[in-house]
Amino acid sequence: MHTWNLPAGADRAEIYTELLATAQALVDGEPDLMANLANLAACLKQLPGVSWAGFYRRVGDDLVLGPFQGKLACTRIAPGKGVCGTAAARREALVVPDVEAFPGHIACDADSRSEVVVPIVRGERVLGVIDLDSDRLANFDDRDAEHLTRLAALVAGLDWPA
Ligand code: SME
């Protein structure tokens, strides 16, 4: 059984280094995708300022809600819609410092102020996205996107359905 608590007083680089190591250890011992995504969501929810953390999986053309921690979220996101659909369509991470300034942002939680979405990509295929929300403005920047892109690479290596 692994545990992970946010290291007190650690800076962002240290936090993500620990998160990545914990994520690797978690998935090394477990082949089940949903169990792994559920535990990874629990780790991500501990990041500073995060009010919602979870995964959307690409099912057909849509993004469908996967394991998460936080308030109720939209179940299904159509292609190219919202921050999640846009990041998936562009196959690139999106940092949104103020969600109200992002055209087409899908408001699941009225408290959400900023967001980062990172696609989970294997070759040409987008498997899903990692989505983090914060109730603080500008909680995320490009460094978060960079670290989360490493996590997304790890997640892309899990046992996704064909
Ligand atoms: N805000 C997202 C929708 C998902 S929720 O934030 C959990 C979007 O615009 O795609």
Side-chain angles (χ1 to χ4, degrees), residues 63-134:
L63 290 170
V64 177
L65 185 63
F68 73 95
Q69 295 224 345
K71 290 189 183 167
L72 278 180
C74 358
T75 310
R76 190 174 285 268
I77 298 173
K81 297 294 177 192
V83 184
C84 291
T86 305
R90 293 187 195 163
R91 291 162 199 255
E92 65 183 29
L94 273 183
V95 176
V96 180
D98 178 358
V99 294
E100 281 174 27
F102 186 93
H105 167 256
I106 302 165
C108 295
D109 175 358
D111 294 338
S112 176
R113 292 282 170 271
S114 59
E115 182 162 0
V116 57
V117 177
V118 177
I120 302 163
V121 181
R122 187 192 289 165
E124 291 299 297
R125 203 173 145 214
V126 177
L127 300 166
V129 300
I130 300 173
D131 182 15
L132 301 186
D133 283 71
S134 176

Side-chain angles (χ1 to χ4, degrees), residues 15-61:
I15 289 171
Y16 278 109
T17 299
E18 284 229 12
L19 175 70
L20 259 292
T22 301
Q24 188 67 62
L26 277 168
V27 305
D28 278 349
E30 176 52 61
D32 188 274
L33 177 68
M34 287 301 147
N36 284 328
L37 296 185
N39 264 337
L40 292 175
C43 292
L44 289 166
K45 178 68 166 54
Q46 291 192 54
L47 292 172
V50 170
S51 50
W52 193 96
F55 297 89
Y56 281 87
R57 302 157 299 130
R58 203 170 59 75
V59 180
D61 291 334

